[in-house]
Amino acid sequence: MRDPQTYLRNNREMWRQWTPLKAASAQYDLAGFRAGGCRMRALERAEVGEVRGRSLLHLQCHVGLDTLSWARLGARVTGVDFCAEGVATARSLAADVAPSAVFVEADVLDLPSHLDGAFDIVYTSHGVLGWLPDLRRWAEVVAHFTAPGGFLYVFESHPAAWMLDNKVEHPELKLRYSYFGESEPLAFEYRSPIAVPEAELPGVEYAWGHSLGDVVSALAAAGLRVEFLHEWPFVAWRMLPFMTQDQDGWWRLPDGLPAMPLSFSLRATKPST
Ligand SMILES: C[S@@+](CC[C@H](N)C(=O)[O-])C[C@H]1O[C@@H](n2cnc3c(N)ncnc32)[C@H](O)[C@@H]1O
């Protein structure tokens, strides 16, 4: 088995190349975000609940759009990402949007060496867990930073959806990948970052599979109590070429295909001592 750091270095370099291109893309519309608004979807807002006056730690915050959306809703926010370019963009946005927001550059699995404190809410979403080689360690980090009585909220693509062959262009669900993750990651070749198809930037990304059981068991082992685990027939980005976007921005399978879970949301509480 290769050292996971080898893959993480590769992935971090990929994010370093991708992030400025994504941040400049029309899809991100940073100027529009600076001018106002909230990128947080209604479903997540409802499931997380009132954040006004509460401290919120956003893991793998990318360029901080979601972090700063929570800030606009009244949370006291801290964002973490291991990509220096993402953190720099987030800090520059924060200067205009929420000057008290804090952004930390760190590997999420090593975060206790870079950040102190405990938070009412730990939030992470949309394309995060697959980048992590060690879910048990992730859950320990989450538990470490969750204040007693506070909670973790995750919204993530569903591991069952990752089994599908995303190279099939016509509306057909074809299984290609195993449901159960291995210690070695899967390697995916790419030509350009999502959101910037015109950029020719070929490379290989490495991703680890984590079953839903892995997620729940890791959190339980870290002492968190699952309040709910909801599975949804839509996802935040176009995982398959033939998905269509609904009026709320979610990507769905076209009519005629069997319904299956494409994402999940989970809330887990750290018991008060
Ligand atoms: C798909 S993006 C998350 C997008 C985010 N939910 C949003 O909408 O803004 C994944 C992020 O995870 C970060 N990342 C990947 N592995 C990481 C790690 N081990 N530690 C910290 N950040 C990591 C990447 O730099 C990237 O910004």
Side-chain angles (χ1 to χ4, degrees):
M1 191 179 94
R2 277 168 77 184
D3 179 357
Q5 289 302 329
T6 313
Y7 303 116
L8 289 172
R9 272 195 296 276
N10 174 95
N11 287 348
R12 189 194 291 233
E13 185 53 33
M14 181 196 78
W15 282 107
R16 293 196 57 179
Q17 293 179 7
W18 280 14
T19 298
L21 295 171
K22 284 168 161 275
S25 71
Q27 191 176 316
Y28 277 46
D29 184 20
L30 298 191
F33 183 75
R34 272 196 164 88
C38 172
R39 297 281 170 97
M40 199 47 58
R41 291 178 169 85
L43 173 56
E44 286 175 76
R45 284 177 66 172
E47 290 197 327
V48 169
E50 180 60 74
V51 298
R52 186 159 297 280
R54 308 189 80 187
S55 56
L56 183 148
L57 174 65
H58 182 183
L59 302 178
Q60 295 173 251
C61 66
H62 197 35
V63 298
L65 290 172
D66 287 356
T67 328
L68 294 169
S69 293
W70 287 120
R72 278 188 167 142
L73 292 167
R76 293 177 281 116
V77 300
T78 301
V80 176
D81 203 282
F82 76 169
C83 172
E85 286 70 10
V87 169
T89 304
R91 285 179 181 149
S92 135
L93 279 172
D96 296 327
V97 171
S100 62
V102 174
F103 287 95
V104 179
E105 181 189 330
D107 185 329
V108 73
L109 301 186
D110 190 31
L111 191 54
S113 312
H114 299 266
L115 181 68
D116 291 322
F119 297 80
D120 299 322
I121 301 166
V122 177
Y123 168 83
T124 195
S125 68
H126 309 302
V128 284
L129 301 183
W131 303 111
L132 305 178
D134 186 345
L135 219 54
R136 291 265 168 160
R137 173 65 189 154
W138 168 77
E140 285 166 10
V141 171
V142 167
H144 173 90
F145 284 107
T146 308
F151 64 86
L152 163 75
Y153 180 81
V154 188
F155 200 115
E156 181 58 304
S157 47
H158 198 291
W162 283 106
M163 298 174 73
L164 299 169
D165 188 342
N166 66 354
K167 297 284 184 271
V168 176
E169 296 280 338
H170 56 280
E172 183 195 345
L173 301 179
K174 187 171 157 216
L175 295 184
R176 177 164 180 187
Y177 302 103
S178 299
Y179 178 72
F180 301 103
E182 310 281 338
S183 54
E184 284 291 307
L186 290 172
F188 297 98
E189 289 185 11
Y190 59 82
R191 196 179 55 76
S192 48
I194 297 175
V196 202
E198 66 281 9
E200 280 287 338
L201 205 63
V204 179
E205 63 184 85
Y206 296 98
W208 287 266
H210 303 295
S211 72
L212 213 46
D214 290 341
V215 176
V216 171
S217 298
L219 294 171
L224 298 181
R225 192 179 61 80
V226 174
E227 279 180 59
F228 61 71
L229 169 59
H230 296 146
E231 295 167 288
W232 304 103
F234 45 75
V235 62
W237 77 94
R238 189 185 216 156
M239 286 183 91
L240 303 171
F242 47 83
M243 282 180 163
T244 55
Q245 199 169 23
D246 70 16
Q247 62 202 21
D248 296 321
W250 298 108
W251 291 89
R252 292 176 177 268
L253 295 173
D255 290 343
L257 291 178
M260 63 170 288
L262 298 175
S263 56
F264 70 92
S265 55
L266 177 151
R267 187 167 144 152
T269 307
K270 180 166 175 173
S272 305
T273 46

Coordinates of all heavy atoms in Angstrom, one line a residue, residues 81-164:
D81 N -9.7 24.6 4.9 CA -9.4 23.8 3.6 C -7.9 23.7 3.5 O -7.1 24.5 4.0 CB -9.9 24.6 2.4 CG -10.2 23.7 1.2 OD1 -9.2 23.3 0.6 OD2 -11.4 23.3 1.0
F82 N -7.5 22.6 2.8 CA -6.0 22.4 2.7 C -5.4 23.1 1.4 O -4.2 23.0 1.2 CB -5.6 20.9 2.8 CG -5.9 20.0 1.6 CD1 -5.3 18.7 1.6 CD2 -6.6 20.4 0.5 CE1 -5.5 17.9 0.5 CE2 -6.8 19.6 -0.6 CZ -6.3 18.3 -0.6
C83 N -6.3 23.8 0.7 CA -5.9 24.4 -0.5 C -5.6 25.9 -0.3 O -6.5 26.7 0.0 CB -6.9 24.2 -1.6 SG -6.6 25.2 -3.1
A84 N -4.4 26.3 -0.4 CA -4.0 27.7 -0.1 C -4.8 28.7 -0.9 O -5.2 29.8 -0.5 CB -2.5 27.9 -0.3
E85 N -5.0 28.4 -2.2 CA -5.7 29.3 -3.1 C -7.2 29.4 -2.7 O -7.7 30.5 -2.8 CB -5.6 28.7 -4.6 CG -4.3 28.9 -5.2 CD -3.2 28.0 -4.7 OE1 -3.5 27.1 -3.9 OE2 -2.0 28.3 -5.0
G86 N -7.8 28.3 -2.2 CA -9.1 28.4 -1.8 C -9.2 29.3 -0.5 O -10.1 30.1 -0.4
V87 N -8.3 29.1 0.4 CA -8.3 29.9 1.6 C -8.1 31.4 1.3 O -8.8 32.3 1.9 CB -7.3 29.3 2.6 CG1 -7.1 30.3 3.8 CG2 -7.7 28.0 3.1
A88 N -7.2 31.7 0.4 CA -6.9 33.1 0.0 C -8.2 33.7 -0.6 O -8.5 34.8 -0.3 CB -5.7 33.1 -1.0
T89 N -8.8 33.0 -1.5 CA -10.1 33.5 -2.1 C -11.1 33.8 -1.0 O -11.8 34.8 -1.0 CB -10.6 32.5 -3.1 OG1 -9.6 32.3 -4.1 CG2 -11.9 33.1 -3.8
A90 N -11.3 32.8 -0.1 CA -12.3 32.9 1.0 C -11.9 34.1 1.9 O -12.9 34.9 2.2 CB -12.3 31.6 1.9
R91 N -10.7 34.4 2.2 CA -10.3 35.5 3.0 C -10.6 36.8 2.3 O -11.1 37.8 2.9 CB -8.8 35.4 3.4 CG -8.5 34.4 4.5 CD -7.1 34.3 4.8 NE -6.8 33.3 5.8 CZ -5.7 32.6 5.9 NH1 -4.7 32.8 5.1 NH2 -5.5 31.7 6.8
S92 N -10.4 36.8 1.0 CA -10.6 38.1 0.3 C -12.1 38.4 0.2 O -12.6 39.5 0.3 CB -9.9 38.0 -1.1 OG -10.8 38.4 -2.1
L93 N -12.9 37.3 0.0 CA -14.4 37.5 0.0 C -14.8 37.9 1.4 O -15.7 38.8 1.5 CB -15.1 36.2 -0.3 CG -15.2 35.7 -1.7 CD1 -15.8 34.3 -1.8 CD2 -16.1 36.7 -2.5
A94 N -14.3 37.3 2.4 CA -14.7 37.6 3.8 C -14.4 39.1 4.1 O -15.2 39.7 4.9 CB -13.9 36.8 4.8
A95 N -13.4 39.7 3.6 CA -13.1 41.1 3.9 C -14.3 42.0 3.5 O -14.5 43.0 4.2 CB -11.8 41.5 3.1
D96 N -15.0 41.6 2.5 CA -16.2 42.4 2.0 C -17.5 41.9 2.7 O -18.4 42.7 2.8 CB -16.3 42.3 0.5 CG -15.1 42.9 -0.2 OD1 -14.6 43.9 0.4 OD2 -14.8 42.4 -1.3
V97 N -17.5 40.6 3.0 CA -18.8 40.0 3.4 C -19.0 39.8 4.9 O -20.1 40.1 5.4 CB -19.0 38.6 2.6 CG1 -20.2 37.9 3.1 CG2 -19.0 38.8 1.1
A98 N -17.9 39.3 5.5 CA -18.0 39.0 7.0 C -16.6 39.1 7.5 O -16.0 38.1 7.7 CB -18.6 37.6 7.2
P99 N -16.1 40.3 7.9 CA -14.7 40.5 8.3 C -14.3 39.6 9.5 O -13.2 39.3 9.7 CB -14.6 41.9 8.6 CG -15.7 42.6 7.8 CD -16.9 41.6 7.8
S100 N -15.3 39.2 10.3 CA -14.9 38.4 11.5 C -14.7 36.9 11.2 O -14.3 36.1 12.0 CB -16.0 38.5 12.6 OG -17.2 38.1 12.1
A101 N -15.0 36.5 9.9 CA -14.9 35.1 9.6 C -13.4 34.7 9.6 O -12.5 35.5 9.2 CB -15.4 34.9 8.2
V102 N -13.1 33.5 10.0 CA -11.7 33.0 10.1 C -11.6 31.9 9.1 O -12.4 31.0 9.0 CB -11.5 32.5 11.6 CG1 -10.1 31.8 11.7 CG2 -11.6 33.6 12.6
F103 N -10.5 31.9 8.4 CA -10.2 30.8 7.5 C -8.8 30.2 7.8 O -7.8 31.0 7.9 CB -10.3 31.2 6.0 CG -11.7 31.5 5.6 CD1 -12.3 32.7 5.7 CD2 -12.5 30.4 5.2 CE1 -13.6 32.9 5.4 CE2 -13.9 30.6 4.9 CZ -14.4 31.9 4.9
V104 N -8.7 28.9 7.9 CA -7.5 28.2 8.3 C -7.1 27.3 7.1 O -7.9 26.5 6.6 CB -7.8 27.3 9.5 CG1 -6.5 26.6 10.0 CG2 -8.3 28.2 10.6
E105 N -5.8 27.3 6.8 CA -5.3 26.4 5.8 C -4.7 25.1 6.5 O -3.8 25.2 7.2 CB -4.2 27.0 5.0 CG -3.6 26.1 3.9 CD -2.4 26.7 3.2 OE1 -2.3 28.0 3.2 OE2 -1.5 26.0 2.8
A106 N -5.4 24.0 6.3 CA -5.0 22.8 7.0 C -5.6 21.5 6.4 O -6.7 21.6 5.9 CB -5.3 22.8 8.5
D107 N -4.9 20.4 6.5 CA -5.5 19.1 6.2 C -6.6 18.9 7.3 O -6.2 18.9 8.5 CB -4.5 18.1 6.2 CG -5.0 16.7 5.7 OD1 -6.2 16.4 6.0 OD2 -4.2 15.9 5.1
V108 N -7.8 18.5 6.9 CA -8.8 18.3 7.9 C -8.4 17.2 8.9 O -8.8 17.3 10.1 CB -10.2 18.1 7.2 CG1 -10.3 16.7 6.6 CG2 -11.3 18.3 8.1
L109 N -7.7 16.2 8.5 CA -7.3 15.1 9.4 C -6.3 15.5 10.4 O -6.0 14.8 11.3 CB -6.9 13.9 8.6 CG -7.9 13.3 7.6 CD1 -7.4 12.0 7.0 CD2 -9.3 13.1 8.3
D110 N -5.7 16.7 10.1 CA -4.6 17.2 11.0 C -5.0 18.5 11.7 O -4.2 19.2 12.3 CB -3.3 17.4 10.1 CG -2.1 17.7 11.0 OD1 -2.0 17.2 12.1 OD2 -1.3 18.5 10.5
L111 N -6.3 18.8 11.7 CA -6.8 20.1 12.1 C -6.5 20.4 13.6 O -6.2 21.6 13.9 CB -8.3 20.2 11.8 CG -8.9 21.6 12.0 CD1 -8.1 22.6 11.2 CD2 -10.4 21.6 11.6
P112 N -6.5 19.4 14.5 CA -6.3 19.8 15.9 C -4.9 20.4 16.1 O -4.6 21.1 17.1 CB -6.4 18.4 16.6 CG -7.4 17.7 15.8 CD -7.0 18.0 14.4
S113 N -3.9 20.2 15.2 CA -2.6 20.8 15.3 C -2.6 22.3 14.8 O -1.7 23.0 15.0 CB -1.6 20.1 14.4 OG -1.6 18.8 14.6
H114 N -3.8 22.7 14.2 CA -3.8 24.1 13.6 C -4.9 25.0 14.2 O -4.9 26.1 13.9 CB -4.0 23.9 12.1 CG -3.0 23.2 11.4 ND1 -1.9 23.8 10.8 CD2 -2.8 21.9 11.2 CE1 -1.1 22.9 10.3 NE2 -1.7 21.7 10.5
L115 N -5.8 24.4 15.0 CA -6.9 25.2 15.4 C -7.3 24.8 16.8 O -7.3 23.6 17.1 CB -8.1 24.9 14.4 CG -9.4 25.7 14.7 CD1 -9.3 27.2 14.5 CD2 -10.5 25.1 13.8
D116 N -7.7 25.7 17.6 CA -8.2 25.5 19.0 C -9.7 25.7 19.0 O -10.3 26.5 18.2 CB -7.6 26.4 20.0 CG -6.1 26.0 20.2 OD1 -5.7 24.8 20.2 OD2 -5.3 27.0 20.3
G117 N -10.4 25.2 20.0 CA -11.8 25.6 20.3 C -12.8 24.5 20.0 O -12.4 23.4 19.5
A118 N -14.0 24.8 20.4 CA -15.1 23.9 20.1 C -16.3 24.7 19.5 O -16.4 25.9 19.9 CB -15.5 23.2 21.4
F119 N -17.1 24.1 18.7 CA -18.1 24.8 17.9 C -19.4 24.2 18.1 O -19.6 23.0 18.3 CB -17.7 24.7 16.4 CG -16.4 25.4 16.1 CD1 -15.2 24.7 16.4 CD2 -16.3 26.7 15.6 CE1 -13.9 25.3 16.1 CE2 -15.1 27.3 15.4 CZ -13.9 26.6 15.6
D120 N -20.5 25.1 18.1 CA -21.8 24.6 18.2 C -22.2 23.7 17.1 O -23.0 22.7 17.2 CB -22.8 25.8 18.2 CG -22.5 26.7 19.4 OD1 -22.2 26.2 20.5 OD2 -22.6 27.9 19.2
I121 N -21.7 24.0 15.9 CA -22.1 23.3 14.7 C -20.8 23.0 13.9 O -20.0 23.9 13.7 CB -23.1 24.1 13.8 CG1 -24.3 24.5 14.6 CG2 -23.4 23.4 12.5 CD1 -25.2 25.6 13.9
V122 N -20.7 21.8 13.4 CA -19.6 21.4 12.5 C -20.3 21.0 11.2 O -21.2 20.2 11.2 CB -18.7 20.3 13.0 CG1 -17.7 19.9 12.0 CG2 -18.0 20.7 14.3
Y123 N -20.0 21.7 10.1 CA -20.7 21.5 8.9 C -19.8 21.1 7.8 O -18.6 21.6 7.7 CB -21.4 22.9 8.5 CG -21.9 22.9 7.1 CD1 -23.2 22.4 6.8 CD2 -21.2 23.5 6.1 CE1 -23.7 22.5 5.5 CE2 -21.7 23.5 4.8 CZ -23.0 23.0 4.5 OH -23.5 23.1 3.2
T124 N -20.2 20.2 6.9 CA -19.4 19.8 5.7 C -20.3 19.3 4.7 O -21.4 18.6 5.0 CB -18.3 18.8 6.1 OG1 -17.3 18.7 5.1 CG2 -18.9 17.4 6.5
S125 N -20.0 19.5 3.4 CA -21.0 19.2 2.4 C -20.4 19.1 1.0 O -19.4 19.7 0.6 CB -22.1 20.3 2.4 OG -21.5 21.5 1.9
H126 N -21.2 18.3 0.1 CA -21.1 18.3 -1.3 C -19.7 18.1 -1.9 O -19.0 19.0 -2.3 CB -21.6 19.7 -1.9 CG -23.0 20.0 -1.4 ND1 -24.1 19.2 -1.5 CD2 -23.4 21.1 -0.7 CE1 -25.1 19.7 -1.0 NE2 -24.8 20.9 -0.4
G127 N -19.2 16.9 -1.8 CA -17.9 16.5 -2.4 C -16.8 16.6 -1.4 O -15.8 17.3 -1.7
V128 N -16.9 16.0 -0.3 CA -15.9 16.1 0.8 C -15.3 14.8 1.2 O -14.1 14.6 1.3 CB -16.5 16.9 2.0 CG1 -16.5 18.4 1.6 CG2 -17.8 16.4 2.4
L129 N -16.2 13.8 1.5 CA -15.7 12.6 2.2 C -14.7 11.8 1.3 O -13.8 11.1 1.8 CB -16.8 11.8 2.7 CG -17.8 12.5 3.7 CD1 -18.8 11.5 4.2 CD2 -17.0 13.1 4.9
G130 N -15.0 11.7 0.0 CA -14.2 10.9 -0.9 C -12.7 11.3 -1.0 O -11.9 10.6 -1.4
W131 N -12.4 12.6 -0.5 CA -11.0 13.0 -0.6 C -10.3 12.5 0.7 O -9.1 12.8 0.8 CB -11.0 14.6 -0.6 CG -11.7 15.1 -1.8 CD1 -12.9 15.9 -1.7 CD2 -11.3 15.0 -3.1 NE1 -13.2 16.2 -3.0 CE2 -12.3 15.7 -3.9 CE3 -10.3 14.4 -3.8 CZ2 -12.3 15.8 -5.3 CZ3 -10.2 14.5 -5.2 CH2 -11.2 15.2 -5.9
L132 N -11.0 11.9 1.6 CA -10.3 11.6 2.9 C -10.0 10.1 3.0 O -10.9 9.2 2.8 CB -11.2 11.9 4.0 CG -11.7 13.4 4.0 CD1 -12.6 13.7 5.2 CD2 -10.5 14.4 4.1
P133 N -8.7 9.7 3.2 CA -8.3 8.3 3.3 C -8.8 7.6 4.6 O -8.9 6.4 4.6 CB -6.8 8.4 3.2 CG -6.4 9.7 3.7 CD -7.6 10.6 3.4
D134 N -9.1 8.4 5.6 CA -9.3 7.7 6.9 C -10.6 8.3 7.6 O -10.5 9.4 8.3 CB -8.1 8.0 7.8 CG -8.1 7.3 9.1 OD1 -9.2 6.8 9.5 OD2 -7.0 7.2 9.8
L135 N -11.7 7.7 7.5 CA -12.9 8.2 8.0 C -13.0 8.1 9.5 O -13.7 9.0 10.1 CB -14.1 7.4 7.4 CG -15.3 8.3 7.0 CD1 -14.9 9.4 6.1 CD2 -16.4 7.4 6.4
R136 N -12.3 7.2 10.1 CA -12.3 7.1 11.6 C -11.6 8.3 12.1 O -12.1 8.9 13.1 CB -11.6 5.8 12.0 CG -12.3 4.6 11.7 CD -13.1 4.2 12.9 NE -14.1 3.1 12.6 CZ -14.6 2.3 13.4 NH1 -14.4 2.4 14.7 NH2 -15.5 1.4 13.1
R137 N -10.5 8.7 11.5 CA -9.8 9.9 12.0 C -10.6 11.1 11.8 O -10.7 12.0 12.6 CB -8.4 10.0 11.2 CG -7.7 11.3 11.4 CD -7.2 11.4 12.9 NE -6.6 12.7 13.2 CZ -6.6 13.2 14.4 NH1 -7.0 12.6 15.4 NH2 -6.1 14.4 14.5
W138 N -11.3 11.2 10.6 CA -12.2 12.3 10.3 C -13.2 12.5 11.4 O -13.5 13.6 11.9 CB -12.9 12.1 9.0 CG -14.0 13.1 8.7 CD1 -13.9 14.4 8.3 CD2 -15.4 12.7 8.8 NE1 -15.2 14.9 8.2 CE2 -16.1 13.9 8.4 CE3 -16.1 11.6 9.1 CZ2 -17.5 14.0 8.4 CZ3 -17.5 11.7 9.1 CH2 -18.2 12.8 8.8
A139 N -13.9 11.3 11.8 CA -14.9 11.4 12.9 C -14.3 11.8 14.2 O -14.9 12.6 15.0 CB -15.6 10.0 13.0
E140 N -13.1 11.4 14.5 CA -12.4 11.8 15.7 C -12.2 13.4 15.7 O -12.4 14.1 16.7 CB -11.1 11.2 15.9 CG -11.2 9.7 16.3 CD -9.8 9.0 16.1 OE1 -8.8 9.6 15.9 OE2 -9.9 7.7 16.2
V141 N -11.8 13.9 14.5 CA -11.6 15.3 14.4 C -12.9 16.1 14.6 O -13.0 17.1 15.3 CB -10.9 15.7 13.0 CG1 -10.9 17.2 12.8 CG2 -9.5 15.1 13.0
V142 N -13.9 15.5 14.0 CA -15.3 16.2 14.1 C -15.7 16.2 15.6 O -16.1 17.2 16.1 CB -16.3 15.4 13.3 CG1 -17.7 15.8 13.7 CG2 -16.1 15.6 11.8
A143 N -15.5 15.1 16.3 CA -15.9 15.0 17.7 C -15.1 15.9 18.5 O -15.6 16.6 19.4 CB -15.8 13.6 18.2
H144 N -13.8 16.0 18.2 CA -12.9 16.9 18.9 C -13.4 18.4 18.9 O -13.3 19.1 19.9 CB -11.5 16.8 18.3 CG -10.5 17.8 18.8 ND1 -9.7 17.5 19.9 CD2 -10.2 19.0 18.4 CE1 -8.9 18.5 20.1 NE2 -9.2 19.5 19.3
F145 N -13.9 18.8 17.7 CA -14.3 20.2 17.5 C -15.7 20.5 17.8 O -16.1 21.6 17.7 CB -13.9 20.7 16.1 CG -12.4 20.9 16.0 CD1 -11.6 20.0 15.2 CD2 -11.8 22.0 16.6 CE1 -10.3 20.2 15.1 CE2 -10.4 22.2 16.4 CZ -9.7 21.3 15.7
T146 N -16.5 19.5 18.1 CA -17.9 19.7 18.4 C -18.1 19.9 19.9 O -17.7 19.1 20.7 CB -18.8 18.5 18.0 OG1 -18.5 18.1 16.6 CG2 -20.3 18.8 18.1
A147 N -18.7 21.1 20.2 CA -18.9 21.4 21.7 C -20.0 20.4 22.2 O -20.8 19.9 21.5 CB -19.5 22.8 21.8
P148 N -19.9 20.0 23.5 CA -20.9 19.2 24.1 C -22.3 19.8 23.9 O -22.5 21.0 24.1 CB -20.6 19.2 25.6 CG -19.1 19.5 25.6 CD -18.8 20.4 24.5
G149 N -23.2 19.0 23.4 CA -24.5 19.5 23.0 C -24.6 20.0 21.6 O -25.7 20.3 21.1
G150 N -23.5 20.2 21.0 CA -23.4 20.7 19.6 C -23.6 19.5 18.6 O -23.7 18.4 19.0
F151 N -23.6 19.8 17.3 CA -23.8 18.7 16.4 C -23.0 18.9 15.1 O -22.5 20.0 14.7 CB -25.3 18.6 16.0 CG -25.9 19.8 15.3 CD1 -25.8 19.9 13.9 CD2 -26.5 20.8 16.1 CE1 -26.4 21.0 13.3 CE2 -27.1 21.9 15.4 CZ -27.0 22.0 14.0
L152 N -22.8 17.7 14.4 CA -22.3 17.7 13.1 C -23.4 17.6 12.1 O -24.4 16.9 12.3 CB -21.4 16.4 12.9 CG -21.1 16.0 11.5 CD1 -20.0 16.9 10.8 CD2 -20.7 14.5 11.4
Y153 N -23.3 18.4 11.0 CA -24.3 18.2 9.9 C -23.5 17.9 8.6 O -22.6 18.7 8.3 CB -25.1 19.4 9.7 CG -26.1 19.3 8.6 CD1 -27.3 18.6 8.8 CD2 -25.9 19.9 7.3 CE1 -28.2 18.5 7.7 CE2 -26.8 19.7 6.3 CZ -27.9 19.1 6.5 OH -28.8 18.9 5.4
V154 N -23.8 16.8 7.9 CA -23.2 16.5 6.6 C -24.2 16.4 5.6 O -25.3 15.8 5.8 CB -22.6 15.1 6.7 CG1 -21.7 14.8 5.4 CG2 -21.7 14.8 7.9
F155 N -24.0 17.0 4.4 CA -24.8 16.7 3.2 C -23.8 16.3 2.1 O -22.9 17.1 1.8 CB -25.6 18.0 2.8 CG -26.7 17.7 1.9 CD1 -28.0 17.9 2.4 CD2 -26.6 17.1 0.7 CE1 -29.1 17.6 1.6 CE2 -27.7 16.7 -0.1 CZ -28.9 17.0 0.4
E156 N -24.0 15.1 1.7 CA -23.0 14.5 0.8 C -23.6 13.6 -0.3 O -24.7 13.1 -0.1 CB -21.9 13.7 1.6 CG -20.8 13.1 0.9 CD -19.9 14.0 0.1 OE1 -20.5 14.8 -0.8 OE2 -18.7 14.0 0.3
S157 N -22.9 13.5 -1.4 CA -23.4 12.5 -2.4 C -23.4 11.1 -1.8 O -22.6 10.8 -0.9 CB -22.5 12.6 -3.6 OG -21.1 12.5 -3.2
H158 N -24.3 10.3 -2.3 CA -24.5 9.0 -1.7 C -23.5 8.0 -2.2 O -23.3 7.9 -3.4 CB -26.0 8.5 -2.0 CG -26.5 7.5 -1.1 ND1 -26.0 6.2 -1.2 CD2 -27.4 7.5 -0.2 CE1 -26.7 5.5 -0.3 NE2 -27.6 6.2 0.4
P159 N -23.0 7.1 -1.3 CA -22.0 6.1 -1.8 C -22.6 5.2 -2.9 O -21.9 4.7 -3.8 CB -21.6 5.4 -0.6 CG -22.4 5.8 0.5 CD -23.1 7.1 0.1
A160 N -23.9 4.9 -2.8 CA -24.5 4.1 -3.9 C -24.4 4.8 -5.2 O -24.2 4.1 -6.3 CB -26.0 3.8 -3.5
A161 N -24.5 6.1 -5.3 CA -24.5 6.8 -6.5 C -23.1 6.7 -7.1 O -22.9 6.8 -8.4 CB -24.9 8.3 -6.3
W162 N -22.1 6.6 -6.3 CA -20.7 6.5 -6.8 C -20.4 5.2 -7.5 O -19.3 5.0 -8.1 CB -19.7 6.7 -5.7 CG -19.6 8.2 -5.3 CD1 -20.1 8.8 -4.2 CD2 -19.0 9.2 -6.1 NE1 -19.8 10.1 -4.3 CE2 -19.1 10.4 -5.4 CE3 -18.3 9.2 -7.3 CZ2 -18.6 11.6 -5.9 CZ3 -17.8 10.4 -7.8 CH2 -18.0 11.6 -7.1
M163 N -21.3 4.2 -7.4 CA -21.2 2.9 -8.1 C -21.4 3.1 -9.6 O -21.0 2.2 -10.4 CB -22.1 1.9 -7.5 CG -21.9 1.6 -6.0 SD -23.2 0.4 -5.4 CE -22.6 -1.1 -6.2
L164 N -22.1 4.1 -9.9 CA -22.6 4.2 -11.3 C -21.5 4.7 -12.3 O -20.6 5.5 -11.9 CB -23.8 5.3 -11.4 CG -25.0 4.9 -10.5 CD1 -25.9 6.0 -10.4 CD2 -25.7 3.6 -11.1

